[in-house]
Amino acid sequence: MNAPLLSLSRRLRPTPFSPGVEAAGVKAYTVYNHMLLPTVFRSIEEDYHHLKEAVQVWDVSCERQVELRGPDAARLMQMMTPRDLRGMTPGQCFYVPIVDETGGMLNDPVAVKLAEDRWWISIADSDLLYWVRATAHGWRLDVLVDEPDVSPLAVQGPRADALMARVFGDAVNDIRFFRFGHFDFQGRDMVVARSGYSKQGGFEIYVEGGDIGMDLWNALMEAGRDLDVHAGCPNLIERIEGGLLSYGNDMTDDNTPHECGLGRFCNTHTAIGCVGRDALLRVAKEGPVQQIRALEIEGDAVPICKDWWPVLSEKGRKVGRVSSAAWSPDHKTNVAIAMVKLTHWDEGDEVDIVTPDGPRRAIVHETFWA
C-alpha cells in the first residue's frame, strides 16, 4: 500500500533555502516546528555514506530560535535548565536540557549566548516559545521573548572546514567546538558555530534575514563543487550510531534528563534558579529507574521504526521500548536507541524486541557506535 501524501499549506512554513532543497531533488520531508525538514535526498544509505566521506549543506531552518533580550535574559535562561550557566561567556554554545516544574524534558536545545542580555535558544521539535513566554510573564521578568528571523544552515562532513574557509575565510576554522564567531557574507553579519546534528564535524550558520538565504546556499554549492558537496539532511543511521537523541521520538516530557543519559548536563545543586530543581534533586539522589541505551538488534535489516517497539525480558515482561532503529552499513548490524529499565540496561544484557515483522533478539550496549 502506498503511503499517504502530506498536504502542504501556509501552516507548514517553507524556509529561505526551500528552492535549493527542491532543486537538489529532495525525496522526503518531515514536519518539524511547523516547517519542512528534508529527510532523504538520494537514499538514506547513499546520504549516510556521502555524509561520512565528503560534505553536505543542510537546511535546518526548523531549528527555530527563541530569543531572550533584556536585563533578565540570563535569569530566565537559567530558570529553563538544570545546567549551571554562570560560567558561560558570550561566544559559547551550551547543550541544555529544558525542563518543567516536574523535571520532565520539554526540549533539548543549544543555548547561544550572544551577550549578557541577549540569548538564542536553538530548539528541537516543540513549541517551547510559549513556555518561555509564560514563564517570563508569570515571574514578571524584564525580558523580551520572541522568535527572530533566523534560519540555521548546517555544513557537515569531513570536508566542512575546507568548504567553509572558501566562503568565510580561513579564520572560520579557528572556531572551537561549541563556540561561535561573527563572519561577513555579502555585508551581512553571520553567527557561525562549530556544531551540528552529526558526529562528522562541521558548522551551523545562523542566517539572520531570509532574503539572503539562497545567496548563501548557492555560494556554498558553487565553492564546494570539487569537494563533492551535496544537499543533505540529518541522517537516521548516522545519528543512531552516534547516540544523538530526537526530542519527541526518543524522549518526551515524561522523561527526566537523567533518564535520557543527560545527567552530566545537570548541575542541580548549583543551578539555583531552575524551575524543576527540587524535582531533579530527588531524581539525582535516588537515580533513574530507566535510561536510554544503545541496542544491537540481530538479524536482517529491521523495518522502519514508526512506533515504539516493546522491549521484553526473557520471561516476556515489558522492560522498555525501542524508539529509533536502522540497519548500519558500516557496522553490519541493526543499531537502535531504546529506553530500558535498570534491571536490563547493563552491557551485554539480552532482551527481545517486538518488531512489526516479528520478534528479534537484541544485546544492550553501554555506549553508542560513534
Side-chain angles (χ1 to χ4, degrees):
M1 185 176 67
N2 293 330
L5 298 175
L6 180 67
S7 296
L8 303 183
S9 73
R10 287 181 56 81
R11 289 183 291 106
L12 284 180
R13 298 178 291 179
T15 83
F17 316 109
S18 289
V21 167
E22 291 168 9
V26 63
K27 290 184 177 176
Y29 289 108
T30 189
V31 178
Y32 196 105
N33 282 327
H34 312 286
M35 300 188 85
L36 293 173
L37 170 64
T39 56
V40 181
F41 280 87
R42 288 175 285 184
S43 73
I44 291 179
E45 285 203 11
E46 286 181 272
D47 294 347
Y48 162 87
H49 288 300
H50 181 263
L51 172 61
K52 289 189 169 187
E53 295 165 358
V55 60
Q56 295 179 353
V57 178
W58 295 0
D59 176 3
V60 284
S61 303
C62 62
E63 295 173 3
R64 304 312 297 164
Q65 308 306 300
V66 175
E67 181 170 305
L68 316 182
R69 188 197 293 261
D72 288 331
R75 181 185 175 192
L76 177 58
M77 188 68 241
Q78 187 63 82
M79 293 178 75
M80 300 290 110
T81 180
R83 184 166 184 179
D84 192 338
L85 304 179
R86 289 178 298 174
M88 188 178 181
T89 59
Q92 283 187 290
C93 309
F94 272 19
Y95 180 71
V96 290
I98 301 289
V99 299
D100 61 18
E101 74 283 0
T102 71
M105 291 280 296
L106 293 178
N107 208 280
D108 68 325
V110 172
V112 180
K113 187 172 183 179
L114 300 164
E116 292 298 331
D117 62 351
R118 188 182 180 208
W119 301 65
W120 286 339
I121 311 175
S122 189
I123 65 172
D125 186 25
S126 77
D127 291 312
L128 191 69
L129 176 66
Y130 305 119
W131 170 263
V132 181
R133 277 180 171 169
T135 303
H137 177 74
W139 286 82
R140 300 180 183 276
L141 301 182
D142 187 4
V143 59
L144 174 67
V145 179
D146 205 357
E147 180 184 309
D149 182 12
V150 175
S151 300
L153 189 69
V155 179
Q156 300 287 294
R159 298 176 188 168
D161 282 39
L163 176 55
M164 289 292 287
R166 294 179 182 183
V167 176
F168 291 99
D170 291 338
V172 76
N173 289 327
D174 295 331
I175 303 173
R176 288 184 287 161
F177 184 61
F178 260 52
R179 290 182 179 267
F180 67 86
H182 292 266
F183 292 84
D184 176 81
F185 178 76
Q186 295 184 0
R188 190 78 60 88
D189 179 70
M190 301 274 178
V191 169
V192 179
R194 188 176 286 277
S195 58
Y197 195 56
S198 86
K199 291 287 187 174
Q200 306 311 309
F203 301 84
E204 289 180 298
I205 310 162
Y206 291 81
V207 182
E208 286 195 74
D211 59 301
I212 203 170
M214 281 308 300
D215 288 346
L216 177 58
W217 177 280
N218 291 331
L220 288 164
M221 289 298 179
E222 183 63 30
R225 284 180 181 270
D226 63 321
L227 299 174
D228 192 27
V229 66
H230 277 263
C233 53
N235 184 268
L236 173 68
I237 307 169
E238 196 269 349
R239 82 159 182 88
I240 296 174
E241 289 178 351
L244 299 177
L245 305 184
S246 169
Y247 184 78
N249 188 43
D250 301 312
M251 54 186 169
T252 71
D253 58 1
D254 289 328
N255 303 119
T256 67
H258 298 81
E259 291 179 337
C260 302
L262 305 178
R264 65 190 182 281
F265 299 111
C266 297
N267 315 109
T268 315
H269 288 281
T270 55
I272 304 299
C274 175
V275 296
R277 179 173 179 262
D278 289 346
L280 290 177
L281 281 171
R282 293 192 296 272
V283 174
K285 181 179 179 180
E286 298 168 4
V289 298
Q290 61 178 358
Q291 199 167 62
I292 289 287
R293 282 293 185 269
L295 291 189
E296 178 181 348
I297 303 177
E298 297 177 354
D300 296 333
V302 292
I304 296 173
C305 185
K306 295 187 296 183
D307 302 300
W308 287 339
W309 297 344
V311 177
L312 306 180
S313 70
E314 64 281 359
K315 296 182 179 179
R317 182 168 55 89
K318 185 177 178 183
V319 293
R321 54 160 172 78
V322 170
S323 52
S324 299
W327 173 262
S328 167
D330 283 357
H331 296 281
K332 301 295 188 284
T333 190
N334 293 294
V335 295
I337 297 173
M339 186 73 74
V340 183
K341 291 186 178 179
L342 63 82
T343 54
H344 289 75
W345 75 25
D346 291 334
E347 172 80 23
D349 281 350
E350 294 189 6
V351 291
D352 290 314
I353 312 299
V354 182
T355 75
D357 63 359
R360 299 282 191 101
R361 200 71 172 157
I363 301 172
V364 176
H365 288 250
E366 190 168 344
T367 59
F368 285 88
W369 291 264

